Amino acid sequence: MRQWRHALGLSLAGLLGWGCVAAQAPPAAAVVRPGIDVLVEDSLHLVAGRAVGLLTNHTGVDRRGISDGERLRAAGVNVVALFTPEHGLRGAADPGAAVASTRDPTTGIPIYSLYGPSLAPTPAMLTGVQVVLVDLQDVGARYFTYISTTIELMRAAAVAGIPVIVLDRPNPVGGAVQGNVLDSATRSFVGSLSVPMRHGLTLGELALLAKRERGLATALSVVPVSGWQRWQYFDDTGVPFVPPSPNLRDLEGLIHYSGTCLFEGTNLSSGRGSDAAFSQVGALWLDPLAVLARLGPEAGVTLSPTTFTPRQPGDGKYADTLLQGIRLRVTDRAIYDPPATALRLLVAIRAAHPAEFAWIAAHFDRLAGQPGLREALERGAPIDSILKAWAGQRAAFEPRAAGIRLYPQ
């Protein structure tokens, strides 16, 4: 594939004995090929004979559900170090929990956690590595930390003079761009780039944006996904769906996540630890009917009363407690705007429960990407004015994104 605008990529897992992950089987006529397939089938010479470090986890699989490590081991690629993000190698660690570094008992390959005492590779971790490869499944929302880990790795690799190659994957929720744009003054590990809440980009594109806008000296390349178009959701691709984290178990949850994740910055549960995390919100004191009475119909989604019990690991707010909640169900992906719906739902809950509702202010501001959103809601700013401001921010973002987009609509 010589038409790449940016080239190279790959990944690991079978080296550690993972084999094939449990995943939905793709249809026989799948045409979308993740970067691991593109690399191994078309351009293996890009990594042949090089000592490889790899940032990956359980989401690194090919179009058949075979782990990257299995593919690389069969191809004779020399992986000498493995790096892992939040949730660890197998994606099972609790959200926010520190993950320890270890070593594979069979191969002796070190497994360095980049979500523990260090968020970036140390010089010792990079010793002997000639190229670092990244293969992680992003979720399409700026709150997710995999791009933050990728940026920290890029920065450390630049200092060490080691090139970084991102093996790209589809954005599972397509190319829609929604919500506000993060103010760089509010940058954090759950918001490392000034992009919209739902950014419409792939991990490879985000890495290219980070290199340009964060002034990184990284020698960065991307192996693009073959056959993917930006309108496609993950279930249009034929690629196996592997849950990217313990509480994002299905595509429905990923679609809501760019909106309902805001409730993490309040005293409501976002459903973590339940059977429908990020597809429902709730609290002991919530009166769903009183809230829904304040809302009109929402485009592309239905909201209805429910009950649920967050189990551990959850969000630490109402563990093992039966909650009154509101369940969101997508009815039309093409017109649903998760951040806008979440904003209207948040306003309705505050109006129905002025004494019970509370912010976790610092965390909400990090997720919102700017303290101005909370402040606007506290002073009763009209929702339409907030949404209009968001649209202006996205319009300003568009020319910034245009130069790094790799895929057609």
Side-chain angles (χ1 to χ4, degrees):
M1 290 184 63
R2 300 301 180 190
Q3 69 270 33
W4 298 351
R5 289 171 59 183
H6 305 270
L8 282 71
L10 105 135
S11 172
L12 175 67
L15 280 166
L16 306 176
W18 303 352
C20 298
V21 301
Q24 302 167 8
V31 296
V32 174
R33 294 190 302 158
I36 180 61
D37 291 297
V38 175
L39 176 82
V40 173
E41 295 167 9
D42 298 350
S43 299
L44 194 60
H45 67 277
L46 296 172
V47 292
R50 308 177 80 180
V52 174
L54 176 65
L55 169 58
T56 194
N57 61 7
H58 64 300
T59 64
V61 299
D62 72 3
R63 69 182 183 275
R64 295 171 294 168
I66 299 173
S67 69
D68 290 0
E70 196 80 8
R71 297 294 306 273
L72 296 177
R73 181 176 59 181
V77 175
N78 181 28
V79 178
V80 299
L82 186 65
F83 303 93
T84 63
E86 184 179 9
H87 308 301
L89 187 63
R90 292 173 175 79
D94 293 352
V99 178
S101 296
T102 184
R103 186 177 293 271
D104 178 64
T106 302
T107 66
I109 295 174
I111 305 170
Y112 297 117
S113 170
L114 301 185
Y115 203 81
S118 177
L119 297 177
T122 65
M125 293 177 186
L126 293 171
T127 299
V129 174
Q130 295 176 308
V131 60
V132 179
L133 308 171
V134 179
D135 189 9
L136 297 168
Q137 178 62 65
D138 190 59
V139 304
R142 79 163 177 247
Y143 325 111
F144 212 58
T145 62
Y146 290 176
I147 183 56
S148 298
T149 298
T150 300
I151 291 171
E152 292 304 313
L153 182 143
M154 289 168 60
R155 183 179 288 110
V159 172
I162 300 171
V164 173
I165 301 164
V166 176
L167 172 65
D168 217 5
R169 294 188 170 273
N171 183 321
V173 295
V177 179
Q178 296 167 329
N180 70 5
V181 175
L182 180 138
D183 183 334
S184 60
T186 318
R187 190 181 295 154
S188 71
F189 212 70
V190 292
S192 55
L193 291 174
S194 295
V195 298
M197 294 169 173
R198 184 178 181 181
H199 50 66
L201 302 173
T202 66
L203 187 72
E205 292 170 329
L206 290 170
L208 292 169
L209 187 68
K211 173 179 168 60
R212 187 178 71 192
E213 299 196 347
R214 298 286 294 272
L216 303 179
T218 316
L220 175 67
S221 303
V222 175
V223 171
V225 185
S226 174
W228 183 67
Q229 298 181 62
R230 208 172 292 278
W231 61 266
Q232 291 177 298
Y233 282 69
F234 208 87
D235 54 5
D236 296 314
T237 68
V239 177
F241 178 81
V242 181
S245 72
N247 284 289
L248 288 171
R249 307 299 304 174
D250 54 32
L251 186 55
E252 174 92 359
L254 264 66
I255 294 172
H256 295 303
Y257 179 67
S258 63
T260 53
C261 188
L262 287 174
F263 285 89
E264 300 273 275
T266 73
N267 63 342
L268 284 95
S269 169
S270 60
R272 283 186 187 269
S274 75
D275 60 352
F278 298 105
S279 294
Q280 54 193 4
V281 299
L284 274 170
W285 42 262
L286 189 71
D287 182 342
L289 294 179
V291 173
L292 294 174
R294 295 175 177 271
L295 290 168
E298 288 289 322
V301 63
T302 61
L303 288 79
S304 59
T306 191
T307 58
F308 63 92
T309 302
R311 305 294 183 186
Q312 292 289 9
D315 55 20
K317 296 175 182 176
Y318 301 102
D320 302 314
T321 303
L322 181 66
L323 303 182
Q324 299 298 312
I326 294 173
R327 177 67 184 268
L328 296 86
R329 291 181 173 85
V330 179
T331 58
D332 189 340
R333 296 173 180 177
I335 61 174
Y336 178 38
D337 186 334
T341 292
L343 176 65
R344 285 188 283 264
L345 179 57
L346 181 59
V347 169
I349 290 172
R350 290 186 71 241
H353 295 282
E356 296 86 0
F357 176 88
W359 304 104
I360 305 173
H363 190 41
F364 184 87
D365 292 349
R366 282 191 293 268
L367 294 170
Q370 47 193 241
L373 177 57
R374 176 175 53 83
E375 293 165 358
L377 295 175
E378 288 177 341
R379 66 174 179 265
I383 294 177
D384 286 348
S385 69
I386 296 173
L387 294 177
K388 183 177 180 180
W390 288 8
Q393 293 169 20
R394 293 194 303 272
F397 170 73
E398 182 55 32
R400 295 170 46 216
I404 51 88
R405 287 196 176 113
L406 302 177
Y407 307 98
Q409 292 294 340

